[in-house]
Amino acid sequence: GLKPADHLIMVRTAGLTRRMGLLVAAAAVISGTLAIAPPASADTTWIDEGFESSSWEDGSTWWNWLSGDYISRSQIPGIEGNGTRITMKPGRHAAAMLNYQFSRHGYSQPDEAWFRYWMRFEALPEETGKLPGFMALYSSSARGQVPPSESRPGWSARVLFGPGDGGTNVRLGYYLYWLGQSQSYGDGLWWSEQAPLGEWVCVEGHVAMNTPGARNGELNAWMNGDPVFERDDILYRSSSQASVHIRDFMLEVYYGGSSTPSRDTPVSFDGLVVADHRVGCGDAAPRSSFEDTAGSPFVEDIEWLADVGITKGCNPSANTRFCPDQAVTRGQMAAFLHRALDGVVDVPPPPAP
């Protein structure tokens, strides 16, 4: 027979075995569950707008802030496939105001997001204006010279543009409405690099919300893959505004300030992406320096001329066209030869009188 101590050992061993079995079974269930669950950090792309359709703005992505025929746009050759050109017209501020709200598309409002788009200015702007960027329009603030406050939450960080150096560049930056601004209008925060007029540039932006009440919000920008702006002290929301997030992406093209353009001022876009991760510029590169040479059998030769600086274009100051079928004047030929041979041919000084 079993001694009392032996019986006690068997009971305890049986209980331990039963508990171990339950743990193994639980581990199997957990393991199986984890095996089929999607990864928590799966990348999400909210907007992927290639502008391939000539009526791209009429789709389900965008909510038009302005009614009627407000957008003057045309389809053009883009970085990959088609792009769109939006023209700021004389006497009008807004050329496009298309809003994407995350909640309207079934997403939670994020606390961190990136955007990327290719853009090209084809005429030098005479004044400043706004381009696409992130916003959080919970009230009447963060636009129209209404700064955000405790009672009027919100913020906006649209891309800012203005005339650049030498009449051949466009300045880019952020136009920031935030709780740290000192005046009624937004802060103009210029980037360290400028966009050459008539050239495609890859623009990336990033916003990370601050801990409510702490000045640790992030705002970053890159141009052609290189960092051009970085701040990590932005107060987007106060300690009582924990429900403020990244609410909107605004595809905006807006001239002014108080002034409107005196002439048509077009800006082109392609490859717009908004995501929860940095997308980068990828391997895409402008197919042609000029919008009218894509179908030419001489496109590689024309590109070589542009790359080495022999040709600049035929429609200054934008120089977005090459005019491949147009005759060359003697004056234009002189300019070509000067640019091609300058520093190559040793020209003797004129003889002394």
Side-chain angles (χ1 to χ4, degrees):
L2 292 174
K3 297 181 180 178
D6 295 331
H7 177 74
L8 182 59
I9 290 171
M10 289 186 64
V11 170
R12 288 179 176 175
T13 302
L16 180 60
T17 302
R18 187 165 52 251
R19 287 195 295 272
M20 288 297 293
L22 291 172
L23 287 173
V24 170
V29 171
I30 293 171
S31 177
T33 302
L34 292 177
I36 63 174
S41 59
D43 290 342
T44 299
T45 297
W46 295 294
I47 303 174
D48 188 355
E49 180 62 78
F51 305 104
E52 292 303 315
S53 168
S54 60
S55 56
W56 55 268
E57 80 279 7
D58 293 334
S60 60
T61 301
W62 304 107
W63 172 40
N64 291 350
W65 267 37
L66 303 175
S67 60
D69 184 20
Y70 72 94
I71 181 169
S72 176
R73 55 105 183 92
S74 55
Q75 196 172 53
I76 61 166
I79 294 296
E80 294 181 326
N82 296 321
T84 191
R85 175 188 294 131
I86 299 175
T87 301
M88 293 170 276
K89 308 292 287 185
R92 302 183 68 176
H93 289 289
M97 296 186 76
L98 301 170
N99 179 270
Y100 177 95
Q101 285 189 23
F102 294 93
S103 59
R104 284 175 175 262
H105 295 268
Y107 295 108
S108 299
Q109 296 174 12
D111 274 348
E112 188 170 24
W114 283 257
F115 70 78
R116 189 282 313 277
Y117 52 80
W118 291 83
M119 56 155 289
R120 179 181 68 191
F121 265 90
E122 296 158 22
L124 188 69
E126 299 168 318
E127 301 291 343
T128 59
K130 294 93 177 177
L131 296 174
F134 290 117
M135 309 176 79
L137 304 181
Y138 293 98
S139 65
S140 61
S141 72
R143 62 194 186 278
Q145 297 190 35
V146 181
S149 64
E150 283 289 342
S151 60
R152 290 185 298 206
W155 60 271
S156 65
R158 292 162 289 176
V159 172
L160 176 68
F161 71 80
D165 297 337
T168 58
N169 294 284
V170 178
R171 298 183 75 187
L172 296 178
Y174 278 119
Y175 188 61
L176 180 65
Y177 276 92
W178 62 303
L179 290 171
Q181 68 189 70
S182 58
Q183 63 278 323
S184 60
Y185 48 87
D187 288 341
L189 308 174
W190 295 110
W191 300 348
S192 61
E193 298 292 334
Q194 301 183 17
L197 188 65
E199 294 185 16
W200 286 103
V201 294
C202 175
V203 173
E204 298 175 82
H206 166 245
V207 166
M209 297 298 293
N210 63 298
T211 304
R215 286 178 173 262
N216 62 0
E218 298 177 18
L219 184 61
N220 306 83
W222 297 262
M223 190 184 300
N224 294 328
D226 298 323
V228 292
F229 184 84
E230 181 178 3
R231 288 276 297 267
D232 59 4
D233 61 346
I234 307 299
L235 187 66
Y236 294 109
R237 53 189 177 181
S238 69
S239 58
S240 64
Q241 296 174 338
S243 60
V244 170
H245 307 281
I246 303 172
R247 180 179 179 267
D248 316 83
F249 181 83
M250 182 71 80
L251 200 167
E252 181 173 14
V253 179
Y254 189 96
Y255 198 97
S258 57
S259 61
T260 58
S262 62
R263 51 180 168 75
D264 281 2
T265 306
V267 57
S268 298
F269 297 94
D270 197 11
L272 167 62
V273 176
V274 177
D276 67 352
H277 56 282
R278 187 179 173 192
V279 176
C281 301
D283 298 328
R287 297 182 304 178
S288 172
S289 298
F290 307 105
E291 61 186 37
D292 59 353
T293 60
S296 171
F298 307 107
V299 64
E300 292 186 6
D301 306 295
I302 296 168
E303 283 304 295
W304 181 84
L305 289 172
D307 288 342
V308 299
I310 295 174
T311 185
K312 297 182 182 296
C314 66
N315 59 323
S317 61
N319 284 326
T320 56
R321 299 196 302 275
F322 179 75
C323 304
D325 300 319
Q326 191 176 89
V328 178
T329 67
R330 290 170 61 87
Q332 291 167 334
M333 179 57 69
F336 287 151
L337 290 174
H338 184 202
R339 294 171 192 152
L341 301 177
D342 186 32
V344 176
V345 176
D346 187 13
V347 179

PDB file of all heavy atoms in Angstrom, residues 50-77:
ATOM      1  N   GLY A  50      -1.940  59.202 -58.610  1.00  0.00           N
ATOM      2  CA  GLY A  50      -1.005  59.315 -59.720  1.00  0.00           C
ATOM      3  C   GLY A  50      -1.427  60.304 -60.786  1.00  0.00           C
ATOM      4  O   GLY A  50      -0.691  60.522 -61.746  1.00  0.00           O
ATOM      5  N   PHE A  51      -2.638  60.883 -60.657  1.00  0.00           N
ATOM      6  CA  PHE A  51      -3.154  61.879 -61.602  1.00  0.00           C
ATOM      7  C   PHE A  51      -3.245  61.317 -63.023  1.00  0.00           C
ATOM      8  O   PHE A  51      -3.080  62.049 -64.000  1.00  0.00           O
ATOM      9  CB  PHE A  51      -2.283  63.147 -61.590  1.00  0.00           C
ATOM     10  CG  PHE A  51      -2.124  63.765 -60.229  1.00  0.00           C
ATOM     11  CD1 PHE A  51      -0.939  63.613 -59.527  1.00  0.00           C
ATOM     12  CD2 PHE A  51      -3.154  64.466 -59.643  1.00  0.00           C
ATOM     13  CE1 PHE A  51      -0.779  64.168 -58.271  1.00  0.00           C
ATOM     14  CE2 PHE A  51      -3.016  65.038 -58.382  1.00  0.00           C
ATOM     15  CZ  PHE A  51      -1.826  64.885 -57.696  1.00  0.00           C
ATOM     16  N   GLU A  52      -3.496  60.008 -63.134  1.00  0.00           N
ATOM     17  CA  GLU A  52      -3.558  59.399 -64.462  1.00  0.00           C
ATOM     18  C   GLU A  52      -4.818  59.792 -65.214  1.00  0.00           C
ATOM     19  O   GLU A  52      -4.798  59.950 -66.435  1.00  0.00           O
ATOM     20  CB  GLU A  52      -3.468  57.877 -64.342  1.00  0.00           C
ATOM     21  CG  GLU A  52      -2.109  57.373 -63.874  1.00  0.00           C
ATOM     22  CD  GLU A  52      -0.992  57.837 -64.783  1.00  0.00           C
ATOM     23  OE1 GLU A  52      -1.142  57.770 -66.023  1.00  0.00           O
ATOM     24  OE2 GLU A  52       0.048  58.287 -64.267  1.00  0.00           O
ATOM     25  N   SER A  53      -5.929  59.953 -64.506  1.00  0.00           N
ATOM     26  CA  SER A  53      -7.180  60.342 -65.145  1.00  0.00           C
ATOM     27  C   SER A  53      -7.217  61.854 -65.340  1.00  0.00           C
ATOM     28  O   SER A  53      -6.722  62.611 -64.501  1.00  0.00           O
ATOM     29  CB  SER A  53      -8.373  59.898 -64.295  1.00  0.00           C
ATOM     30  OG  SER A  53      -9.575  60.495 -64.749  1.00  0.00           O
ATOM     31  N   SER A  54      -7.814  62.290 -66.437  1.00  0.00           N
ATOM     32  CA  SER A  54      -7.939  63.726 -66.671  1.00  0.00           C
ATOM     33  C   SER A  54      -8.940  64.377 -65.727  1.00  0.00           C
ATOM     34  O   SER A  54      -8.970  65.595 -65.586  1.00  0.00           O
ATOM     35  CB  SER A  54      -8.365  63.985 -68.121  1.00  0.00           C
ATOM     36  OG  SER A  54      -9.617  63.366 -68.388  1.00  0.00           O
ATOM     37  N   SER A  55      -9.767  63.557 -65.061  1.00  0.00           N
ATOM     38  CA  SER A  55     -10.734  64.078 -64.076  1.00  0.00           C
ATOM     39  C   SER A  55     -10.468  63.461 -62.711  1.00  0.00           C
ATOM     40  O   SER A  55     -11.383  63.040 -62.010  1.00  0.00           O
ATOM     41  CB  SER A  55     -12.166  63.784 -64.528  1.00  0.00           C
ATOM     42  OG  SER A  55     -12.344  62.387 -64.757  1.00  0.00           O
ATOM     43  N   TRP A  56      -9.195  63.390 -62.325  1.00  0.00           N
ATOM     44  CA  TRP A  56      -8.792  62.714 -61.095  1.00  0.00           C
ATOM     45  C   TRP A  56      -9.470  63.286 -59.855  1.00  0.00           C
ATOM     46  O   TRP A  56      -9.727  62.567 -58.901  1.00  0.00           O
ATOM     47  CB  TRP A  56      -7.271  62.801 -60.938  1.00  0.00           C
ATOM     48  CG  TRP A  56      -6.734  64.208 -60.979  1.00  0.00           C
ATOM     49  CD1 TRP A  56      -6.296  64.889 -62.072  1.00  0.00           C
ATOM     50  CD2 TRP A  56      -6.604  65.109 -59.871  1.00  0.00           C
ATOM     51  NE1 TRP A  56      -5.900  66.161 -61.736  1.00  0.00           N
ATOM     52  CE2 TRP A  56      -6.075  66.321 -60.377  1.00  0.00           C
ATOM     53  CE3 TRP A  56      -6.873  65.012 -58.510  1.00  0.00           C
ATOM     54  CZ2 TRP A  56      -5.823  67.434 -59.572  1.00  0.00           C
ATOM     55  CZ3 TRP A  56      -6.621  66.109 -57.698  1.00  0.00           C
ATOM     56  CH2 TRP A  56      -6.097  67.299 -58.234  1.00  0.00           C
ATOM     57  N   GLU A  57      -9.769  64.577 -59.852  1.00  0.00           N
ATOM     58  CA  GLU A  57     -10.326  65.198 -58.644  1.00  0.00           C
ATOM     59  C   GLU A  57     -11.796  64.868 -58.432  1.00  0.00           C
ATOM     60  O   GLU A  57     -12.371  65.193 -57.383  1.00  0.00           O
ATOM     61  CB  GLU A  57     -10.133  66.713 -58.688  1.00  0.00           C
ATOM     62  CG  GLU A  57     -11.125  67.484 -59.538  1.00  0.00           C
ATOM     63  CD  GLU A  57     -10.787  67.460 -61.023  1.00  0.00           C
ATOM     64  OE1 GLU A  57      -9.847  66.726 -61.410  1.00  0.00           O
ATOM     65  OE2 GLU A  57     -11.451  68.160 -61.795  1.00  0.00           O
ATOM     66  N   ASP A  58     -12.427  64.219 -59.397  1.00  0.00           N
ATOM     67  CA  ASP A  58     -13.849  63.888 -59.272  1.00  0.00           C
ATOM     68  C   ASP A  58     -14.085  62.535 -58.605  1.00  0.00           C
ATOM     69  O   ASP A  58     -15.227  62.110 -58.462  1.00  0.00           O
ATOM     70  CB  ASP A  58     -14.509  63.868 -60.666  1.00  0.00           C
ATOM     71  CG  ASP A  58     -14.564  65.250 -61.293  1.00  0.00           C
ATOM     72  OD1 ASP A  58     -14.580  66.236 -60.529  1.00  0.00           O
ATOM     73  OD2 ASP A  58     -14.561  65.341 -62.528  1.00  0.00           O
ATOM     74  N   GLY A  59     -13.021  61.846 -58.196  1.00  0.00           N
ATOM     75  CA  GLY A  59     -13.171  60.531 -57.591  1.00  0.00           C
ATOM     76  C   GLY A  59     -13.581  60.602 -56.136  1.00  0.00           C
ATOM     77  O   GLY A  59     -13.936  61.656 -55.601  1.00  0.00           O
ATOM     78  N   SER A  60     -13.513  59.447 -55.462  1.00  0.00           N
ATOM     79  CA  SER A  60     -13.975  59.350 -54.075  1.00  0.00           C
ATOM     80  C   SER A  60     -12.945  59.843 -53.072  1.00  0.00           C
ATOM     81  O   SER A  60     -13.257  59.991 -51.886  1.00  0.00           O
ATOM     82  CB  SER A  60     -14.331  57.894 -53.757  1.00  0.00           C
ATOM     83  OG  SER A  60     -13.187  57.048 -53.921  1.00  0.00           O
ATOM     84  N   THR A  61     -11.698  60.092 -53.516  1.00  0.00           N
ATOM     85  CA  THR A  61     -10.645  60.471 -52.577  1.00  0.00           C
ATOM     86  C   THR A  61     -10.854  61.854 -52.002  1.00  0.00           C
ATOM     87  O   THR A  61     -10.681  62.084 -50.802  1.00  0.00           O
ATOM     88  CB  THR A  61      -9.265  60.410 -53.268  1.00  0.00           C
ATOM     89  OG1 THR A  61      -9.040  59.085 -53.742  1.00  0.00           O
ATOM     90  CG2 THR A  61      -8.148  60.801 -52.296  1.00  0.00           C
ATOM     91  N   TRP A  62     -11.269  62.790 -52.853  1.00  0.00           N
ATOM     92  CA  TRP A  62     -11.224  64.200 -52.482  1.00  0.00           C
ATOM     93  C   TRP A  62     -12.606  64.774 -52.226  1.00  0.00           C
ATOM     94  O   TRP A  62     -13.572  64.445 -52.900  1.00  0.00           O
ATOM     95  CB  TRP A  62     -10.538  65.000 -53.588  1.00  0.00           C
ATOM     96  CG  TRP A  62      -9.173  64.492 -53.903  1.00  0.00           C
ATOM     97  CD1 TRP A  62      -8.789  63.791 -55.030  1.00  0.00           C
ATOM     98  CD2 TRP A  62      -8.012  64.594 -53.091  1.00  0.00           C
ATOM     99  NE1 TRP A  62      -7.469  63.468 -54.957  1.00  0.00           N
ATOM    100  CE2 TRP A  62      -6.959  63.947 -53.779  1.00  0.00           C
ATOM    101  CE3 TRP A  62      -7.740  65.179 -51.849  1.00  0.00           C
ATOM    102  CZ2 TRP A  62      -5.664  63.870 -53.271  1.00  0.00           C
ATOM    103  CZ3 TRP A  62      -6.460  65.103 -51.342  1.00  0.00           C
ATOM    104  CH2 TRP A  62      -5.447  64.456 -52.038  1.00  0.00           C
ATOM    105  N   TRP A  63     -12.639  65.687 -51.266  1.00  0.00           N
ATOM    106  CA  TRP A  63     -13.844  66.443 -50.934  1.00  0.00           C
ATOM    107  C   TRP A  63     -13.561  67.898 -51.303  1.00  0.00           C
ATOM    108  O   TRP A  63     -12.659  68.534 -50.765  1.00  0.00           O
ATOM    109  CB  TRP A  63     -14.156  66.297 -49.442  1.00  0.00           C
ATOM    110  CG  TRP A  63     -15.265  67.185 -48.956  1.00  0.00           C
ATOM    111  CD1 TRP A  63     -16.428  67.487 -49.593  1.00  0.00           C
ATOM    112  CD2 TRP A  63     -15.305  67.883 -47.714  1.00  0.00           C
ATOM    113  NE1 TRP A  63     -17.194  68.322 -48.832  1.00  0.00           N
ATOM    114  CE2 TRP A  63     -16.519  68.586 -47.667  1.00  0.00           C
ATOM    115  CE3 TRP A  63     -14.431  67.982 -46.631  1.00  0.00           C
ATOM    116  CZ2 TRP A  63     -16.889  69.386 -46.578  1.00  0.00           C
ATOM    117  CZ3 TRP A  63     -14.796  68.776 -45.554  1.00  0.00           C
ATOM    118  CH2 TRP A  63     -16.004  69.453 -45.529  1.00  0.00           C
ATOM    119  N   ASN A  64     -14.319  68.414 -52.265  1.00  0.00           N
ATOM    120  CA  ASN A  64     -14.091  69.765 -52.765  1.00  0.00           C
ATOM    121  C   ASN A  64     -14.576  70.808 -51.774  1.00  0.00           C
ATOM    122  O   ASN A  64     -15.746  70.816 -51.388  1.00  0.00           O
ATOM    123  CB  ASN A  64     -14.806  69.968 -54.094  1.00  0.00           C
ATOM    124  CG  ASN A  64     -14.195  69.160 -55.205  1.00  0.00           C
ATOM    125  OD1 ASN A  64     -13.124  68.579 -55.040  1.00  0.00           O
ATOM    126  ND2 ASN A  64     -14.871  69.091 -56.333  1.00  0.00           N
ATOM    127  N   TRP A  65     -13.684  71.678 -51.359  1.00  0.00           N
ATOM    128  CA  TRP A  65     -14.064  72.773 -50.475  1.00  0.00           C
ATOM    129  C   TRP A  65     -14.751  73.899 -51.223  1.00  0.00           C
ATOM    130  O   TRP A  65     -15.500  74.677 -50.637  1.00  0.00           O
ATOM    131  CB  TRP A  65     -12.807  73.322 -49.770  1.00  0.00           C
ATOM    132  CG  TRP A  65     -12.562  72.697 -48.452  1.00  0.00           C
ATOM    133  CD1 TRP A  65     -12.774  71.410 -48.096  1.00  0.00           C
ATOM    134  CD2 TRP A  65     -12.050  73.344 -47.289  1.00  0.00           C
ATOM    135  NE1 TRP A  65     -12.418  71.190 -46.793  1.00  0.00           N
ATOM    136  CE2 TRP A  65     -11.968  72.369 -46.274  1.00  0.00           C
ATOM    137  CE3 TRP A  65     -11.638  74.642 -47.006  1.00  0.00           C
ATOM    138  CZ2 TRP A  65     -11.506  72.664 -44.995  1.00  0.00           C
ATOM    139  CZ3 TRP A  65     -11.164  74.937 -45.739  1.00  0.00           C
ATOM    140  CH2 TRP A  65     -11.115  73.954 -44.747  1.00  0.00           C
ATOM    141  N   LEU A  66     -14.455  74.032 -52.495  1.00  0.00           N
ATOM    142  CA  LEU A  66     -15.010  75.119 -53.292  1.00  0.00           C
ATOM    143  C   LEU A  66     -15.932  74.528 -54.342  1.00  0.00           C
ATOM    144  O   LEU A  66     -15.612  73.520 -54.965  1.00  0.00           O
ATOM    145  CB  LEU A  66     -13.888  75.922 -53.969  1.00  0.00           C
ATOM    146  CG  LEU A  66     -12.836  76.520 -53.026  1.00  0.00           C
ATOM    147  CD1 LEU A  66     -11.732  77.177 -53.838  1.00  0.00           C
ATOM    148  CD2 LEU A  66     -13.470  77.527 -52.094  1.00  0.00           C
ATOM    149  N   SER A  67     -17.062  75.168 -54.552  1.00  0.00           N
ATOM    150  CA  SER A  67     -18.030  74.652 -55.511  1.00  0.00           C
ATOM    151  C   SER A  67     -17.808  75.307 -56.875  1.00  0.00           C
ATOM    152  O   SER A  67     -17.178  76.355 -56.998  1.00  0.00           O
ATOM    153  CB  SER A  67     -19.458  74.941 -55.030  1.00  0.00           C
ATOM    154  OG  SER A  67     -19.656  76.341 -54.879  1.00  0.00           O
ATOM    155  N   GLY A  68     -18.348  74.673 -57.911  1.00  0.00           N
ATOM    156  CA  GLY A  68     -18.256  75.241 -59.244  1.00  0.00           C
ATOM    157  C   GLY A  68     -16.942  74.907 -59.926  1.00  0.00           C
ATOM    158  O   GLY A  68     -16.152  74.078 -59.473  1.00  0.00           O
ATOM    159  N   ASP A  69     -16.701  75.578 -61.033  1.00  0.00           N
ATOM    160  CA  ASP A  69     -15.512  75.327 -61.844  1.00  0.00           C
ATOM    161  C   ASP A  69     -14.356  76.159 -61.304  1.00  0.00           C
ATOM    162  O   ASP A  69     -13.961  77.168 -61.873  1.00  0.00           O
ATOM    163  CB  ASP A  69     -15.797  75.684 -63.305  1.00  0.00           C
ATOM    164  CG  ASP A  69     -14.626  75.341 -64.207  1.00  0.00           C
ATOM    165  OD1 ASP A  69     -13.795  74.519 -63.797  1.00  0.00           O
ATOM    166  OD2 ASP A  69     -14.558  75.908 -65.315  1.00  0.00           O
ATOM    167  N   TYR A  70     -13.820  75.721 -60.190  1.00  0.00           N
ATOM    168  CA  TYR A  70     -12.802  76.501 -59.496  1.00  0.00           C
ATOM    169  C   TYR A  70     -11.398  76.052 -59.824  1.00  0.00           C
ATOM    170  O   TYR A  70     -10.430  76.758 -59.564  1.00  0.00           O
ATOM    171  CB  TYR A  70     -12.995  76.405 -57.982  1.00  0.00           C
ATOM    172  CG  TYR A  70     -12.624  75.053 -57.440  1.00  0.00           C
ATOM    173  CD1 TYR A  70     -11.360  74.812 -56.940  1.00  0.00           C
ATOM    174  CD2 TYR A  70     -13.522  74.006 -57.493  1.00  0.00           C
ATOM    175  CE1 TYR A  70     -11.006  73.553 -56.485  1.00  0.00           C
ATOM    176  CE2 TYR A  70     -13.175  72.759 -57.040  1.00  0.00           C
ATOM    177  CZ  TYR A  70     -11.917  72.535 -56.530  1.00  0.00           C
ATOM    178  OH  TYR A  70     -11.568  71.292 -56.098  1.00  0.00           O
ATOM    179  N   ILE A  71     -11.231  74.864 -60.377  1.00  0.00           N
ATOM    180  CA  ILE A  71      -9.896  74.311 -60.550  1.00  0.00           C
ATOM    181  C   ILE A  71      -9.517  74.367 -62.027  1.00  0.00           C
ATOM    182  O   ILE A  71     -10.196  73.819 -62.886  1.00  0.00           O
ATOM    183  CB  ILE A  71      -9.799  72.871 -59.997  1.00  0.00           C
ATOM    184  CG1 ILE A  71      -8.368  72.323 -60.167  1.00  0.00           C
ATOM    185  CG2 ILE A  71     -10.817  71.950 -60.613  1.00  0.00           C
ATOM    186  CD1 ILE A  71      -8.139  71.029 -59.412  1.00  0.00           C
ATOM    187  N   SER A  72      -8.463  75.114 -62.323  1.00  0.00           N
ATOM    188  CA  SER A  72      -7.954  75.221 -63.687  1.00  0.00           C
ATOM    189  C   SER A  72      -6.791  74.257 -63.811  1.00  0.00           C
ATOM    190  O   SER A  72      -5.677  74.542 -63.383  1.00  0.00           O
ATOM    191  CB  SER A  72      -7.497  76.656 -63.982  1.00  0.00           C
ATOM    192  OG  SER A  72      -6.917  76.742 -65.262  1.00  0.00           O
ATOM    193  N   ARG A  73      -7.045  73.079 -64.364  1.00  0.00           N
ATOM    194  CA  ARG A  73      -6.011  72.058 -64.425  1.00  0.00           C
ATOM    195  C   ARG A  73      -6.019  71.404 -65.795  1.00  0.00           C
ATOM    196  O   ARG A  73      -7.020  71.387 -66.513  1.00  0.00           O
ATOM    197  CB  ARG A  73      -6.194  71.031 -63.319  1.00  0.00           C
ATOM    198  CG  ARG A  73      -7.551  70.379 -63.279  1.00  0.00           C
ATOM    199  CD  ARG A  73      -7.498  68.981 -63.808  1.00  0.00           C
ATOM    200  NE  ARG A  73      -8.822  68.391 -63.840  1.00  0.00           N
ATOM    201  CZ  ARG A  73      -9.621  68.428 -64.877  1.00  0.00           C
ATOM    202  NH1 ARG A  73      -9.256  69.087 -65.967  1.00  0.00           N
ATOM    203  NH2 ARG A  73     -10.796  67.841 -64.863  1.00  0.00           N
ATOM    204  N   SER A  74      -4.871  70.876 -66.170  1.00  0.00           N
ATOM    205  CA  SER A  74      -4.731  70.183 -67.435  1.00  0.00           C
ATOM    206  C   SER A  74      -3.821  68.978 -67.238  1.00  0.00           C
ATOM    207  O   SER A  74      -2.986  68.959 -66.324  1.00  0.00           O
ATOM    208  CB  SER A  74      -4.155  71.115 -68.507  1.00  0.00           C
ATOM    209  OG  SER A  74      -2.931  71.678 -68.075  1.00  0.00           O
ATOM    210  N   GLN A  75      -4.004  67.970 -68.069  1.00  0.00           N
ATOM    211  CA  GLN A  75      -3.196  66.755 -67.985  1.00  0.00           C
ATOM    212  C   GLN A  75      -1.898  66.956 -68.768  1.00  0.00           C
ATOM    213  O   GLN A  75      -1.897  67.484 -69.878  1.00  0.00           O
ATOM    214  CB  GLN A  75      -3.977  65.569 -68.540  1.00  0.00           C
ATOM    215  CG  GLN A  75      -3.417  64.214 -68.170  1.00  0.00           C
ATOM    216  CD  GLN A  75      -4.353  63.097 -68.579  1.00  0.00           C
ATOM    217  OE1 GLN A  75      -4.766  63.022 -69.728  1.00  0.00           O
ATOM    218  NE2 GLN A  75      -4.695  62.223 -67.641  1.00  0.00           N
ATOM    219  N   ILE A  76      -0.783  66.535 -68.170  1.00  0.00           N
ATOM    220  CA  ILE A  76       0.530  66.725 -68.774  1.00  0.00           C
ATOM    221  C   ILE A  76       1.350  65.443 -68.609  1.00  0.00           C
ATOM    222  O   ILE A  76       1.010  64.592 -67.788  1.00  0.00           O
ATOM    223  CB  ILE A  76       1.283  67.901 -68.114  1.00  0.00           C
ATOM    224  CG1 ILE A  76       1.489  67.610 -66.617  1.00  0.00           C
ATOM    225  CG2 ILE A  76       0.559  69.216 -68.325  1.00  0.00           C
ATOM    226  CD1 ILE A  76       2.489  68.512 -65.946  1.00  0.00           C
ATOM    227  N   PRO A  77       2.446  65.282 -69.333  1.00  0.00           N
ATOM    228  CA  PRO A  77       3.375  64.184 -69.028  1.00  0.00           C
ATOM    229  C   PRO A  77       3.985  64.389 -67.655  1.00  0.00           C
ATOM    230  O   PRO A  77       4.450  65.484 -67.324  1.00  0.00           O
ATOM    231  CB  PRO A  77       4.436  64.305 -70.124  1.00  0.00           C
ATOM    232  CG  PRO A  77       3.789  65.073 -71.225  1.00  0.00           C
ATOM    233  CD  PRO A  77       2.832  66.016 -70.544  1.00  0.00           C
TER     234      PRO A  77
END
